Structures are given as C-alpha cells and as structure tokens.
C-alpha cells in the first residue's frame, strides 16, 4: 500500500499545469466502517452488551388481532425484536453479558404527513407524523440500573423500502395501519439502540464519509487528479477493518496533503480551493487518528480559508461534527470507569443509605493488613456523607468472629483494594481549581486515595477517581520520591517545562514531549508516556 501511495502522491505533486482556470471544490460521498471509541468511556470496560426491546401491553393489544392471546403477542414481539438486533449483529445472547439495554415502547400513534410535500415524494417513501414515547433502561450484570431515560420519538418518520420488516410479529398484526405502526416502531427502536451502542461500546460503525476533490481535475489540473485515487485507496483500507488505531494508516495521506499546501503553483492559480481541499482532507485524517490537537489547528485553518455565504462557511461546517465526536470521547476518557460488576457481595438497604459490598483488603500505615469487604455507601436524597474524604469503610470480622463495620481514617491507610483495583494514599496540596472539587482546605496538603493505573519498576501512574465526585487528575511518582508529580501551581502554570524537566533522564520521552506526540488530555496519553519511560 505504501508504494501505491507514494506513486499517487508523486502524481499529485509532480505536474504543474500552466492553465489559468479557477479550481472548484466538490465532495464525493462514501460509506465505510470506521472504528470509534464509545463516547462515554465510563462504560468502556463493558464488552458484552445484551439488547432487547419490549412493548407496552396496552399498545400491543391495540395493534394485534383480537384472535391472538395478548401474552403470546408480547412474547412474539420480544423474539422478533431479538431477531432484528441479530441482523444488526447486536448481542442478544444473555450468557456472559456485562450490560443490558432494554427499550420499552410505551405508546405510539401515526398519521400520514400532511406537510408541504403531501404524503412524501416519489422516491423518498411515505412520511408519517409520529406521536410516541419510549423508555430506555441500562443495567449492569447484577441487574442494577445505570441509566433510565424517557425518549420522545421524532415528530416525523419516513418509511422506505429499506425499512421493510418481515418477522413472526407481522402475522399477528390487525391491519395495514398496524403494519406501518410496527415498521415505524422498529425503525425508531433500532435507531435508539444504535445511538446507545455508540455511547457504550467501542466498535466499527458504518459512517457516511464526504471527501473533497478538485472538480474535473483530470482535464484541467492534472496535479490534483490523484486526489480521487487517494480517496478510493483510503476508503478501501477502512473497509478492510485491519486496525483500530489509524495513527499509522493516515501518515502517508497526511504527508501528501501537507506537501500540497507547501507546493508552489502558477501565479494565476486560485489557492483558496486548493487549501480548502487539503485542510478538509487533513481534518478527516486527524479525526480518524483521534488527534484533537492537529484537528483543532486544521479546523482553524479551514475556517480561515472557507468561502462565506449568507453567514455560513459550508466547507468548515461540514467538518464541525468531527471535533464534536472526539470531544465527547475525550470528555469522559479519564472519568472513573463503571466496574463490570458493581458488587461481588450483597447490596444492603439501610435506613438512610444503600451499601454495596465488595471483597477486598486494607493495609494500614502501621503495617497491619486487614481482609474484609469494602463498603460503597450512597445516602438517600440530600443527606450528606460526612465521612466522605475522611474515612474508608470496610466490613471486617472482629475478635469475637462477628461481622462489623469499621471506618479507617485515610491518614492511617497506606493502600487498599477491591474489585481488582489497587488504591494508594498520597498527600498533595491541590491548586484553587482542583480544590473546589477536592476540598475547601487550601492551607495544607491532605491525603487522597488514588488508583494505581500503571506500575513499573521506574514509575507509577495514579488517578484520583475514588468517591462520588473525583477530579480524575492524573498523577505520577517514581521510586524513592515522597511527593506525587503533575499537581500544584508550578505544574498548572508551566506544565510543558515541568514535564521536560521531570523526564529529562529519558531521551525517547523528551523527544516525544518536544514534538507534542503524547495526548496528555487523556489517560491513554499518560499510559503511553509511562510505557516509553519504563523501557
């Protein structure tokens, strides 16, 4: 592939036409599977997600034949929905699931759309005005709810041939209107499931991709003719689904379009469309590589060079959703992960709180290691947990062999663990912005539990993600050091300088820091830095 790209790039840059005609940018639409990270990374530890759909019994009675038993009809609907999810390659097998997504259709009514276009156009199908509501539930493997939300269905839905649906449920429907209600229902259910899957699951998703070219380049501007071929090669590479990390894949294309921007052209050439094409291509490449730094820089350049019409910059606006998609991912990339199973023990309801117990241990500063069950406690309503940030609570077996709850001061704890997670206690003094989330006490350093997310003989990477309102700060510490790094005023004001000073003993890390190769807005960037430092 590299050789092919080199030849295409050479064709794109070697020829310089002497014609003085203006270039026009146009876009070609493609479809290809693109690997995308879940937009809510708090659920990224979940891999097996079970999808199901159900229907309100009253609505089911409304659309099925009176000759069918109502319980039977609802069961047929559930099985038919499972078949539709299987066609989408969504998991409908309950074995070894990490999470369940249930979509309940509460109510639905449809009428033919009477807008300006009548009942739809000849080629776009039949449009209906829709009035309906759905409730979506997301449960963990223990059956505890993560999410419950009510969704109002879109005001209009157009049915085309692609929305045809033939399942056992069709056979029990009362009439033609019931058939169309079922089609509208399942179209909406599948769209909700797809949107939720994008939120919850890292996966390949079919995307509509719009890539720019110079219009009729072969006849007028041969130096730009290879762009069409580059687009085709890129789409074909995506269709192979050979990689989930596009960083290496985009490099040859990136080099080609950067050279296109640096190339000298005849004076009578209009450079604006050339820059629009190159910057638009680069923006999509950086989106594929999840490179928000270069995407932001490129988007600014695309904005500056886009044509403005009636207040809109169409070329820039076309790439706007790319940044929004990555921003959603990065906003939760460092957030505390939901464990696959929130409890390995019991869930207890007390008078003012609910407790979740998980088998674990605690190591005190005086050297004692105590085994027991870690207790995560949620208080009802507006009741405050006065122990938060001061104590860690465990259920232990006392000298008399009884199970008792005991609270340990964080200052007296060296480390503790549960659910395969290791926490250490470290002291540091937050800056003003950090202290708003951590503590109002800014006069002295305090002890905070931090999770060990990377550990090697040379460095540990720590994350402040314990409790209900963690800051998700990333910290690090090396053997022999008594204070964690990447916190405090100096690190906040002079982070680049402090990082280079801290890692000056590693030429490889120092080189990458200088070239901004680490995405230090994410946990992944720090983990890569730590791995490089540990070599």
């Amino acid at each position: 592939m590299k050789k092919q790209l080199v030849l295409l790039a050479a064709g794109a840059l070697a020829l310089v036409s002497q014609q003085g005609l203006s270039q026009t940018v146009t876009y070609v639409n493609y479809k290809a599977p693109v690997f995308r990270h879940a937009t809510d990374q708090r659920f990224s530890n979940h891999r097996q997600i079970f999808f199901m759909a159900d229907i309100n019994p009253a609505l089911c009675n409304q659309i099925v034949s009176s000759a069918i038993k109502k319980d039977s009809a609802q069961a047929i609907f559930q099985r038919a929905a499972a078949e539709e999810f299987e066609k989408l390659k969504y998991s409908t097998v309950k074995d070894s699931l990490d999470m369940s997504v249930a979509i309940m259709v509460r109510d639905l009514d449809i009428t033919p759309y009477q807008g300006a276009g009548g009942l739809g156009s000849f080629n776009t199908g039949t449009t209906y005005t829709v009035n309906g509501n759905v409730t979506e539930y997301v449960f963990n493997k223990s059956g505890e709810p993560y999410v419950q939300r009510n969704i109002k269905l879109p005001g209009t839905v157009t049915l085309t041939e692609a929305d045809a649906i033939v399942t056992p449920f069709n056979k029990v429907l009362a009439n033609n209107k019931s058939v169309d209600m079922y089609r509208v229902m399942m179209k909406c259910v599948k769209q909700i499931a797809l949107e939720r899957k994008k939120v919850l699951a890292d996966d390949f998703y079919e995307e509509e991709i719009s890539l720019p070219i110079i219009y009729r380049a072969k006849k007028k501007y041969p130096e730009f003719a290879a762009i069409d071929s580059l687009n085709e090669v890129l789409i074909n590479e995506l269709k192979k689904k050979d990689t989930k990390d596009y960083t290496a894949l985009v490099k040859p294309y990136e080099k080609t379009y950067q050279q296109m921007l640096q190339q000298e052209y005849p004076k009578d050439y209009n450079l604006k469309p050339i820059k629009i094409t190159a910057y638009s291509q680069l923006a999509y490449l950086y989106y594929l590589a999840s490179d928000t730094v270069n995407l932001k820089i490129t988007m600014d350049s695309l904005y500056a060079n886009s044509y403005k019409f009636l207040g809109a910059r169409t070329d820039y606006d076309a790439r706007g959703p790319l940044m929004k998609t990555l921003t959603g991912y990065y906003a939760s990339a460092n957030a505390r992960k939901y464990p696959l199973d929130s409890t390995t023990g019991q869930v207890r309801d007390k008078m003012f709180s609910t407790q979740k117990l998980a088998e674990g241990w605690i190591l005190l500063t005086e050297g004692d290691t105590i085994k027991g069950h870690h207790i995560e406690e949620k208080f009802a309503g507006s009741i405050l947990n006065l122990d938060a940030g001061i104590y860690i609570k465990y259920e232990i077996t006392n000298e008399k062999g009884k199970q008792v709850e005991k609270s340990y001061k964080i200052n007296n704890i060296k480390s503790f663990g549960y659910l395969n997670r290791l926490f250490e206690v470290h002291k540091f003094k937050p800056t003003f912005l950090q202290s708003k989330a951590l503590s109002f006490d800014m006069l002295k350093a305090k002890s905070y539990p931090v999770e060990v997310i990377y550990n090697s003989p040379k460095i540990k990477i720590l994350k402040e993600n314990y409790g209900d309102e963690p800051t998700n700060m990333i910290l690090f510490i090396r053997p022999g050091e008594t204070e964690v790094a990447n916190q405090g005023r100096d690190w906040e004001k002079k982070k680049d300088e402090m990082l280079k000073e801290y890692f000056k003993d590693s030429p490889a890390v120092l080189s990458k820091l200088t070239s901004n190769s680490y995405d230090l807005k994410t946990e992944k960037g720090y983990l890569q830095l730590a791995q490089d430092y540990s070599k």
Side-chain angles (χ1 to χ4, degrees), residues 244-313:
K244 297 179 180 179
D245 184 348
Y246 298 113
T247 305
L249 176 68
V250 305
K251 287 296 182 184
Y253 301 93
E254 177 189 25
K255 183 177 180 181
T256 296
Y257 293 115
Q258 287 176 341
Q259 289 176 342
M260 182 174 167
L261 288 168
Q262 298 165 3
Q263 177 84 6
E264 291 187 8
Y265 298 97
K267 292 181 179 180
D268 55 352
Y269 264 44
N270 183 0
L271 297 182
K272 198 176 190 72
I274 299 173
K275 291 182 178 181
I276 289 173
T277 301
Y279 284 128
S280 183
Q281 291 279 10
L282 286 169
Y284 185 72
L285 296 175
Y286 293 136
Y287 160 75
L288 286 179
S290 298
D291 185 346
T292 54
V293 176
N294 281 313
L295 178 56
K296 175 64 168 63
I297 295 171
T298 302
M299 289 295 290
D300 289 344
S301 298
L302 182 58
Y303 181 87
N305 287 279
S306 290
Y307 290 107
K308 188 175 181 180
F309 180 71
L310 297 178
R313 298 177 184 265

Side-chain angles (χ1 to χ4, degrees), residues 208-226:
E208 294 187 359
I209 303 167
S210 184
L211 297 177
I213 61 172
I214 301 295
Y215 179 62
R216 299 183 69 181
K218 290 182 180 179
K219 291 186 177 181
K220 299 179 180 180
Y221 315 102
E223 67 268 43
F224 303 127

Side-chain angles (χ1 to χ4, degrees), residues 385-400:
N385 182 2
L386 300 178
D387 290 344
I390 304 174
Y391 295 95
I392 303 294
K393 186 178 288 189
Y394 269 72
E395 181 183 76
I396 64 169
T397 303
N398 66 10
E399 295 84 353
K400 297 179 180 181

Side-chain angles (χ1 to χ4, degrees), residues 1-11 229-230 232-233 236-237 240 253:
M1 177 207 165
K2 246 180 197 179
K3 184 176 180 182
Q4 184 181 10
L5 284 175
V6 169
L7 292 173
L8 289 171
S229 300
L230 285 172
E232 294 289 344
V233 174
N236 288 335
E237 286 296 317
K240 293 178 183 178
Y253 301 93

